[in-house]
Amino acid sequence: MKTLILDGSQPNDPTSAKIKTSLQAQLSNVETLVLCEQKIGNCAGDFFCWVRSPGMCNTNDDKRIIAEKIMQSDFVIYLTPITFGGYSSALKRMVDHQIQNISPFFTTINGEIHHQPRYQNYPDVLTIGWMDQPNAQSEAVFRQLVQRNAINMYASTSVTGLVNSEANLDDQIRGWLAEIKSASSSPVPALSKAEISSAAATPIRRAALLVGSPRAKKSTSASLGGYLMEQLNVRGVETETIQIYTSFNSVERTRLTLEKLDQADLIVLAFPLYVDSLPAPVIAALEKLLPIAQV
């Protein structure tokens, strides 16, 4: 069985290192790719991989090779710290590009509309995630996301493993691999009801719109968010629009953007869904905002 490991962790992540060591000891014919070391551009949302060069991204970088490696594998393993209930930005950047491995045409699966497969065979998938501390809601969202991706990417068997720091890691991985071998996909829990903050409302003097689309000002995200900003502006709120794809691509621009967001009373995020969740650049931006939000 040919296995491909796609490591979406950051450099020197001790959990990722331990998982890879255990996987390599229990599997043969394994190739590991550390995604943050690969040249993978952001998905531009141009759909050229469907209409101009079917099955191949318009941009020639490492993502083309990785997409091919995925389809040549029998078994693909995703490794990721669970980030906002989903994948890390490093892993999501590659997941966004997997639309080149499915067709633009539609079909129905269990009464739902999905894209048709491009190829006859697709690999089984094991997704291993870890968190700093247990969080039932994030775990449920993560399991739902993995299952939705598995449907879209035609994985016959999809297993979701969450690392339990109190259990033996080798035994956990052995169990997940046994589930793959027996074609026992993981059950998917129902999503829990989101908790609503009971904090008292405060006057909004400044509002910032974060546009999370690569099409920037020409996007639906900008149009919808822009209308809201116009309505707030009419009501005396000072507003500013920030394009995520260009405002976080350098140290200086990131610093200036974070300063602007720190001054806002309201932050609105508008974005397109990419492969069932946030586009990778939006996740990357939120990863940079998280330390500030926790202060």
Side-chain angles (χ1 to χ4, degrees), residues 87-271:
Y87 308 131
S88 67
S89 58
L91 177 58
K92 188 57 166 56
R93 187 169 289 110
M94 187 58 224
V95 171
D96 286 346
H97 287 290
Q98 289 207 43
I99 66 166
Q100 63 195 293
N101 285 337
I102 55 176
S103 165
F105 303 108
F106 294 103
T107 187
T108 56
I109 300 175
N110 297 327
E112 298 177 344
I113 302 298
H114 292 270
H115 288 282
Q116 294 180 12
R118 183 178 296 281
Y119 305 108
Q120 184 174 356
N121 298 308
Y122 286 79
D124 292 329
V125 177
L126 167 61
T127 305
I128 302 177
W130 57 92
M131 295 183 282
D132 292 334
Q133 55 187 6
N135 184 311
Q137 189 170 18
S138 289
E139 177 180 339
V141 172
F142 184 70
R143 291 184 181 277
Q144 285 276 348
L145 173 61
V146 171
Q147 190 258 356
R148 302 311 297 178
N149 283 180
I151 295 173
N152 285 328
M153 298 303 167
Y154 289 91
S156 297
T157 303
S158 172
V159 172
T160 310
L162 272 79
V163 174
N164 181 349
S165 59
E166 298 180 358
N168 181 277
L169 181 60
D170 290 337
D171 290 342
Q172 292 177 75
I173 290 175
R174 190 174 295 109
W176 298 329
L177 294 177
E179 291 176 23
I180 289 288
K181 187 175 181 180
S182 63
S184 301
S185 293
S186 296
V188 182
L191 291 174
S192 59
K193 185 177 293 186
E195 296 181 3
I196 300 176
S197 172
S198 58
T202 57
I204 300 174
R205 298 181 178 86
R206 293 183 177 181
L209 169 65
L210 288 174
V211 177
S213 171
R215 298 183 183 181
K217 297 179 181 179
K218 298 180 179 180
S219 66
T220 301
S221 301
S223 296
L224 294 173
Y227 177 77
L228 175 59
M229 292 297 107
E230 289 173 3
Q231 297 305 305
L232 289 173
N233 196 250
V234 168
R235 289 161 175 79
V237 177
E238 182 182 340
T239 63
E240 182 164 7
T241 298
I242 298 169
Q243 305 293 337
I244 285 179
Y245 278 66
T246 56
S247 297
F248 289 89
N249 57 6
S250 73
V251 174
E252 181 61 17
R253 287 185 177 181
T254 297
R255 183 187 66 80
L256 292 173
T257 300
L258 295 179
E259 287 181 358
K260 293 176 183 178
L261 294 175
D262 190 48
Q263 296 170 0
D265 304 303
L266 171 67
I267 298 175
V268 178
L269 174 61
F271 61 92

Side-chain angles (χ1 to χ4, degrees), residues 47-67:
F47 302 112
F48 288 162
C49 63
W50 279 349
V51 296
R52 179 177 293 182
S53 53
M56 181 181 294
C57 180
N58 188 57
T59 304
N60 186 10
D61 61 17
D62 292 340
K63 75 176 81 67
R64 285 186 179 180
I65 300 171
I66 298 172

